[in-house]
Amino acid sequence: MTTRNGMKRRNIGAHISVRDLCHRYRRHEELALSGISFEIKPCESIALVGRSGCGKSTLLHILAGLMSPTSGSVRIDGALVSGPSPDRIVMFQQPHLLPWMSVAQNVGLGLKFAGEARHERDEKVKELLRLVDLDGFGARNVQELSGGQQQRVALARSLATHPEVLLLDEPFSALDPVTRRSLQRDVRRIALDGGITLVVVTHDIAEAVAMADRAFIMAPNPGRLAEILKFDADLLAGTDREREMFVSAKAQLESAFERTYGRGSAAAAD
Ligand code: ADP
Ligand code: MG
């Protein structure tokens, strides 16, 4: 089956199950995470929200398998996560592109490592560039691109290996608001179309509402889940009704944020 973007649908999304997760970076130090349990359904999109230092990145890195928790478990479709995998890709605030390579070479890097033949790689790279709205940019030097375009290249590179889970650590926080909004929308659409489970770390309330089905609000010292909020609406299409629902979902999340962090904290959240 192919999606309307032409990308082959291979995934049905992964189910993530987290049980009693605790993490301590060093012996005798405070717990960075404590007693975290939750389930994420296939193709669901979750925003991890909370003030700096509450353990969002730590949790994301554990979900990716980049770090082992001190105790507790992460299972993806029932299998214990014990290390990194191309099925679970992390995108960071910086796109981390290789400046001496073209856009197409950067996007095709994972395919090259996977041993794909040149011809197939070129075809896939073209398709990926179309998907992230960078059609015709393949031969360009990555340094000539804007921050938003570079993040799109990083996104295309992340999607090349058909990840089942995309983990985003404040990926758009260095971008201007307009660029940021278009990337939020595009990533959400691509994930829905491609059957990808999304986890987005953000301290921006509007970003959480725009991208997620549910928000997990985290509290600090030790990092833990304070509240889970479900958004009712699909907020992508931008009709008047949806704009209203967006405003109301944002207000709900702001209230939840203030229950955890105190009055006035949501306004200062970003
Ligand atoms: P967030 O992403 O929400 O800002 P982090 O997950 O980065 O929070 O950090 C959570 C806590 O763990 C903080 O107290 C931070 O100082 C600590 N921490 C993060 N990374 C390390 C590390 N590599 N070594 C020791 N402590 C760390
Ligand atoms: Mg962080």
Side-chain angles (χ1 to χ4, degrees):
M1 190 202 286
T2 38
T3 67
R4 67 166 179 266
N5 294 313
M7 192 181 175
K8 285 192 184 55
R9 186 195 281 275
R10 256 194 32 181
N11 299 330
I12 50 160
H15 178 268
I16 303 175
S17 171
V18 166
R19 280 281 151 263
D20 302 323
L21 212 61
C22 292
H23 191 71
R24 198 188 297 278
Y25 276 98
R26 272 181 283 273
R27 215 187 276 250
H28 309 305
E29 234 176 50
E30 282 280 312
L31 282 168
L33 295 178
S34 171
I36 294 189
S37 297
F38 56 79
E39 306 276 327
I40 302 176
K41 291 193 284 267
C43 289
E44 209 182 1
S45 174
I46 299 297
L48 292 180
V49 255
R51 279 280 177 82
S52 183
C54 70
K56 304 183 295 295
S57 296
T58 303
L59 178 54
L60 199 79
H61 292 174
I62 292 173
L63 294 180
L66 298 173
M67 233 163 55
S68 297
T70 306
S71 62
S73 64
V74 177
R75 287 176 187 276
I76 303 217
D77 290 335
L80 208 57
V81 168
S82 59
S85 151
D87 290 341
R88 300 185 298 278
I89 299 281
V90 190
M91 269 186 75
F92 299 96
Q93 185 179 334
Q94 296 303 325
H96 299 299
L97 303 175
L98 300 175
W100 61 89
M101 287 186 177
S102 69
V103 167
Q105 285 170 325
N106 269 282
V107 173
L109 210 56
L111 299 171
K112 189 172 181 182
F113 286 142
E116 291 228 6
R118 176 79 190 265
H119 174 70
E120 280 176 30
R121 215 162 67 213
D122 289 350
E123 277 303 304
K124 282 189 185 163
V125 166
K126 260 196 206 141
E127 190 180 298
L128 286 160
L129 288 176
R130 256 197 308 276
L131 189 64
V132 300
D133 213 14
L134 283 180
D135 215 359
F137 279 72
R140 295 275 283 275
N141 186 318
V142 290
Q143 284 165 304
E144 295 167 16
L145 305 185
S146 68
Q149 289 169 329
Q150 291 190 11
Q151 223 20 321
R152 285 178 183 275
V153 175
L155 175 63
R157 182 187 54 193
S158 302
L159 295 169
T161 49
H162 293 283
E164 294 178 327
V165 181
L166 195 57
L167 304 154
L168 306 141
D169 198 351
E170 307 196 27
F172 314 132
S173 46
L175 305 175
D176 66 84
V178 176
T179 308
R180 190 174 174 149
R181 265 195 297 278
S182 74
L183 265 158
Q184 288 165 354
R185 235 187 327 259
D186 286 357
V187 168
R188 183 76 180 103
R189 278 217 175 91
I190 288 169
L192 281 171
D193 279 358
I196 298 170
T197 305
L198 270 189
V199 183
V200 186
V201 164
T202 181
H203 51 251
D204 177 345
I205 299 242
E207 181 160 280
V209 175
M211 296 192 73
D213 301 310
R214 286 191 293 159
F216 292 1
I217 297 134
M218 291 180 67
N221 306 317
R224 61 199 187 276
L225 263 187
E227 208 170 313
I228 294 180
L229 199 70
K230 187 175 188 321
F231 306 126
D232 300 325
D234 171 12
L235 301 163
L236 283 175
T239 60
D240 281 351
R241 172 87 185 110
E242 275 158 351
R243 262 192 293 278
E244 261 170 44
M245 289 174 99
F246 184 88
V247 171
S248 122
K250 204 168 154 241
Q252 278 175 32
L253 182 51
E254 275 164 4
S255 303
F257 201 91
E258 297 195 344
R259 281 195 288 278
T260 301
Y261 287 96
R263 277 176 78 85
S265 56
D270 40 16

